[in-house]
Amino acid sequence: MKNKYLALIFLFLVAIFVQAQEDGRQLLRGTVLYRNVNVPNENVINITTEDATITDEDGDFAIPVKAGDELAFTSINYSLEIVKVTEAMIQKNRLVVEVNEKVTQLDEVVVSPENQDRFIKMQNEEFKKHDYGIDRSTEVENIATPQMISGMKNGLNFVNIFKALAKTNKNNTTETRPKLKLSEVLRQVYDDEFFVVDLKIPQDKIGEFLLYVDEAVPAQSLLKKTNEFELIDFLVNESKSYREELDAQK
């Protein structure tokens, strides 16, 4: 049984290598760390190609890339990091990414109507601008997009991340898993601050709100959205409806 499992892994890696060669991509190897400790089971997603893998028990990964691709590193416990692949990374074939723990304890914040209005009225073009900063210390070359408003990531292609995670979920042959839910991806991509500050959801109600969102929209309908701005607009509207229901229950 073990030999059969190893053979399947080998065939899978061969298939990835062949596909990568056909589209000009090659395997980029790397490690995900948190405070110099290896991070296992971190999702590593090529947002450009919608391919994904996960880090092994040593925090190591390998994924097909070419210069210009964007890699997203996501998990429940760590904040999203986005890295833009460069020729230098490909030549080194060694990428070390440092992730940060998600913020679960928030300082008291005040959200005014003006902040909410400004949030809703933002133009779609603003989500496409990138302002990358390069950490050139030792082996680490981590390029992360800055936060634009609280927990929202500038330029994030949420739809491609969702597609890639859905593929990973579908390709897992060890067990039959239910379809990926919108809430599962939202929880990986956004910190609590996004829900509390931007969507005005009480922190202790975030989980309940995510279930509310799952019931409000089938996950597959998300794939019809063309960019994150449409998703954010949808979440703003759903958060208003949810808060109205909470108020009605009081």
Side-chain angles (χ1 to χ4, degrees):
M1 183 69 181
K2 184 177 180 181
N3 290 335
K4 182 179 179 181
Y5 180 69
L6 291 175
L8 288 174
I9 294 177
F10 176 75
L11 291 174
F12 177 71
L13 291 175
V14 169
I16 291 179
F17 178 78
V18 171
Q19 181 182 3
Q21 294 298 313
E22 289 178 352
D23 63 7
R25 288 179 169 81
Q26 54 185 298
L27 283 181
L28 174 65
R29 302 182 186 280
T31 304
V32 178
L33 302 174
Y34 170 66
R35 294 183 177 178
N36 294 321
V37 176
N38 297 340
V39 178
N41 300 318
E42 177 89 356
N43 289 303
V44 182
I45 302 163
N46 188 325
I47 302 177
T48 307
T49 63
E50 301 172 16
D51 289 328
T53 185
I54 60 173
T55 57
D56 62 18
E57 60 183 9
D58 296 318
D60 295 330
F61 67 89
I63 191 167
V65 301
K66 68 179 180 181
D69 286 356
E70 287 187 325
L71 301 181
F73 298 81
T74 74
S75 70
I76 296 295
N77 297 320
Y78 301 102
S79 296
L80 172 75
E81 295 292 340
I82 296 185
V83 175
K84 188 168 185 178
V85 178
T86 66
E87 287 290 354
M89 293 178 189
I90 294 174
Q91 291 176 9
K92 285 183 180 179
N93 197 26
R94 180 62 178 172
L95 176 64
V96 180
V97 176
E98 188 81 26
V99 294
N100 297 309
E101 191 173 12
K102 279 189 176 176
V103 176
T104 55
Q105 295 295 326
L106 300 181
D107 295 331
E108 184 176 355
V109 294
V110 177
V111 182
S112 66
E114 291 77 13
N115 288 341
Q116 182 76 353
D117 289 341
R118 179 169 62 90
F119 174 58
I120 297 173
K121 292 178 181 178
M122 294 186 67
Q123 297 299 313
N124 190 22
E125 288 79 0
E126 293 183 78
F127 288 86
K128 300 178 182 178
K129 297 177 183 177
H130 295 269
D131 182 17
Y132 294 114
I134 301 177
D135 177 6
R136 300 187 182 280
S137 60
T138 62
E139 296 178 329
V140 180
E141 192 168 6
N142 184 13
I143 308 175
T145 55
Q147 290 182 330
M148 209 172 155
I149 298 180
S150 306
M152 191 192 316
K153 297 292 183 176
N154 181 20
L156 174 66
N157 190 327
F158 183 95
V159 176
N160 279 24
I161 289 177
F162 185 95
K163 288 179 180 179
L165 289 176
K167 287 180 182 178
T168 302
N169 195 66
K170 183 178 180 180
N171 291 336
N172 191 312
T173 57
T174 59
E175 57 180 324
T176 302
R177 294 188 176 184
K179 289 184 178 180
L180 192 66
K181 295 180 180 180
L182 176 58
S183 61
E184 294 172 340
V185 184
L186 288 172
R187 210 59 176 114
Q188 290 194 42
V189 172
Y190 294 110
D191 294 338
D192 283 8
E193 189 178 8
F194 169 74
F195 297 98
V196 175
V197 178
D198 295 329
L199 300 183
K200 299 166 68 175
I201 301 296
Q203 191 168 13
D204 63 345
K205 296 292 185 180
I206 293 176
E208 186 177 300
F209 171 68
L210 289 172
L211 293 177
Y212 178 86
V213 169
D214 281 337
E215 293 177 357
V217 57
Q220 293 305 310
S221 68
L222 172 64
L223 304 183
K224 297 178 182 179
K225 298 183 183 297
T226 57
N227 51 54
E228 189 190 24
F229 184 76
E230 293 183 21
L231 172 68
I232 297 301
D233 188 53
F234 162 77
L235 291 175
V236 169
N237 291 329
E238 290 302 315
S239 67
K240 286 183 178 179
S241 299
Y242 175 74
R243 294 197 311 272
E244 289 174 358
E245 288 192 10
L246 286 181
D247 292 339
Q249 294 172 7
K250 295 181 179 178

